[in-house]
Amino acid sequence: MVEYIVIEDAAGLAAASQSLASGVGPVAVDVERASGFRYSQRAYLIQVFRREAGVFLFDPSTIEDFSPLQEAIGDVEWVFHAASQDLPSLRERGLEPPVIFDTELGSRLLGHERVGLGAVVEETLGITLAKAHSAADWSTRPLPASWLEYAALDVEHLVDVRDKLAQELAEQDKTEFARQEFQAVLEREPKPPRDDPWRRLSGLHTVRGRRSLAVARSLWQAREDYAREQDVAPGRLVPDRALVAAVLADPQSKQALAGVKEFNGRASRTQLDRWWNAIVAGREATDLPPDRVPSDTLPPPRAWVDRNPEADRRLKAARPAVEARAEELRMPTENLLTPETLRRVAWTPPAELTVEAVSAALADLGARPWQIEQTAQVIADSFVASLNVDPDAAEPTS
């Protein structure tokens, strides 16, 4: 049974921070959120482990200021599993690592078939972790002891895993690959908000007409406002499919809306006035949304042969070559170079198909130096070879 200390106040935070500052080596950090239950992505538990200090579980719902913890561990490496998921929640609380090691990403670069935390711990240390509470509502208070033990186990072994993976990375000459990838995760800017987030409604493709789209937009916004107010995940109030069903049903009265069987969810009837008012507002809107919005999304590769046959030939030549290079490096192709990056450079290649020009194009698309070093020559050679491919002999790109 893992030993841990739950920290719920400033005095406990000060003592824990002092212990962690006196610890040795990197710190393992994890965050438990309440995704799928709460509107926010805030941290509801922060777990920290350091050798010769132990495991501490911090409750952000009762601790306002985490600066003592930041001061205690802000100058050492933080070890995560899937850091990109935890960094935003930590930054909300003023916790910022100077450098990270990501055991999930490291496992991918090493070509491990399974990269979930339990699988990585088992493969590297031979220890089996129970994952019984991974989808729990961590905003629950008080947190059950079994949940707390699960949370403590998430960090107790993470530094040992880090050391094993670091050794593997060195043996495969991938230490620098990993360093660049970890730094990229740390420096990645958050995605800007979507202009029309309501267009992500599942099933919206079945809605026809600008007026109906305006109603869908209005319902989505009403749900969003209420979800934020209640701090509840929007889909737990009224699912996407129910909002779309209300649009398609085109009810002519509040009573008719209540009679739409597919319009369900825990707030579908208790907030009926809210939803009916949103439908009315959508019908009366003057700023009707367009049926489609401009996008820089590339067409699906299967359409390239007709839309841009030269790009089609470039992609057909380069993709298997990059896949072969990934296989040589014993890592997934998407970690060597994302499919989107390869598609974009194939669709709009540099004017000169040289290694230098391809390298610059990859850098502009966000590829890291190690990725460019491993793929630029391969891509340039493939693009040149595609110039000599008989267009009539080319197979359709899938």
Side-chain angles (χ1 to χ4, degrees):
M1 181 174 176
V2 61
E3 295 184 0
Y4 58 86
I5 300 175
V6 179
I7 307 299
E8 299 177 308
D9 55 34
L13 175 68
S17 298
Q18 186 175 355
S19 295
L20 287 164
S22 301
V24 175
V27 294
V29 182
D30 190 30
V31 173
E32 303 296 349
R33 294 173 299 278
S35 303
F37 295 92
R38 296 292 183 173
Y39 180 84
S40 67
Q41 291 298 308
R42 68 170 63 101
Y44 282 97
L45 194 71
I46 299 173
Q47 307 101 283
V48 181
F49 165 81
R50 195 176 191 188
R51 288 171 178 154
E52 298 187 16
V55 177
F56 297 91
L57 309 180
F58 299 92
D59 186 350
S61 68
T62 57
I63 299 172
E64 291 293 328
D65 180 11
F66 274 88
S67 57
L69 179 59
Q70 176 67 30
E71 185 176 347
I73 62 174
D75 60 349
V76 298
E77 178 185 89
W78 296 17
V79 184
F80 294 91
H81 191 82
S84 61
Q85 298 179 18
D86 294 338
L87 287 171
S89 301
L90 291 169
R91 285 167 173 155
E92 282 186 353
R93 304 315 305 259
L95 295 170
E96 180 72 45
V99 62
I100 67 171
F101 189 105
D102 189 327
T103 56
E104 188 220 25
L105 187 47
S107 297
R108 291 183 184 279
L109 294 173
L110 288 165
H112 290 192
E113 290 188 9
R114 300 185 303 151
V115 297
L117 177 60
V120 172
V121 171
E122 186 171 358
E123 184 172 348
T124 56
L125 305 179
I127 297 172
T128 301
L129 295 182
K131 299 297 290 180
H133 307 297
S134 58
D137 179 2
W138 287 91
S139 66
T140 300
R141 291 297 182 273
L143 286 168
S146 61
W147 295 20
L148 293 171
E149 183 171 353
Y150 157 84
L153 285 168
D154 272 0
V155 291
E156 185 186 37
H157 303 295
L158 209 51
V159 176
D160 290 340
V161 171
R162 174 243 182 258
D163 290 349
K164 289 280 189 180
L165 294 180
Q167 181 180 346
E168 280 190 69
L169 288 165
E171 291 169 353
Q172 292 190 25
D173 293 324
K174 294 176 180 176
T175 300
E176 179 59 17
F177 297 0
R179 187 197 67 78
Q180 291 183 28
E181 288 301 292
F182 299 160
Q183 191 63 24
V185 170
L186 193 56
E187 295 177 351
R188 187 171 299 147
E189 294 290 335
K191 290 182 179 180
R194 290 173 60 99
D195 290 335
D196 294 317
W198 59 273
R199 289 187 183 271
R200 298 187 68 179
L201 269 172
S202 179
L204 188 67
H205 64 282
T206 62
V207 175
R208 296 287 182 267
R210 298 177 63 191
R211 179 64 63 192
S212 294
L213 288 173
V215 173
R217 177 182 63 187
S218 185
L219 278 169
W220 180 91
Q221 189 61 60
R223 185 186 65 173
E224 196 76 3
D225 293 342
Y226 187 51
R228 186 184 298 109
E229 174 188 322
Q230 298 295 314
D231 193 17
V232 174
R236 294 184 73 83
L237 297 172
V238 181
D240 282 10
R241 65 179 182 277
L243 292 185
V244 172
V247 177
L248 296 176
D250 193 24
Q252 297 306 302
S253 68
K254 183 166 58 175
Q255 290 70 29
L257 174 61
V260 177
K261 181 180 178 181
E262 296 82 4
F263 185 61
N264 51 28
R266 74 190 222 192
S268 61
R269 300 303 184 271
T270 59
Q271 295 293 313
L272 193 61
D273 285 346
R274 182 186 301 270
W275 314 129
W276 176 247
N277 291 338
I279 289 174
V280 172
R283 288 171 177 169
E284 294 177 349
T286 56
D287 58 330
L288 299 182
D291 290 319
R292 292 183 177 82
V293 293
S295 171
D296 65 349
T297 302
L298 295 176
R302 63 179 176 274
W304 286 27
V305 67
D306 297 319
R307 300 278 296 275
N308 190 339
E310 294 83 5
D312 183 61
R313 291 193 290 274
R314 284 190 292 268
L315 184 61
K316 287 170 180 170
R319 188 162 57 185
V322 172
E323 289 171 351
R325 183 65 186 128
E327 189 171 343
E328 291 172 8
L329 291 168
R330 291 186 289 171
M331 69 174 63
T333 304
E334 60 268 22
N335 287 107
L336 174 59
L337 193 70
T338 67
E340 177 71 6
T341 299
L342 181 58
R343 285 194 292 265
R344 287 198 174 275
V345 77
W347 185 265
T348 310
E352 297 184 9
L353 299 181
T354 63
V355 174
E356 294 75 18
V358 169
S359 295
L362 291 173
D364 288 343
L365 291 167
R368 265 71 73 191
W370 77 269
Q371 294 175 316
I372 296 170
E373 181 181 352
Q374 294 296 325
T375 63
Q377 183 74 62
V378 169
I379 293 171
D381 290 347
S382 299
F383 284 4
V384 170
S386 74
L387 298 174
N388 300 317
V389 172
D390 180 1
D392 296 327
E395 294 293 328
T397 302
S398 58

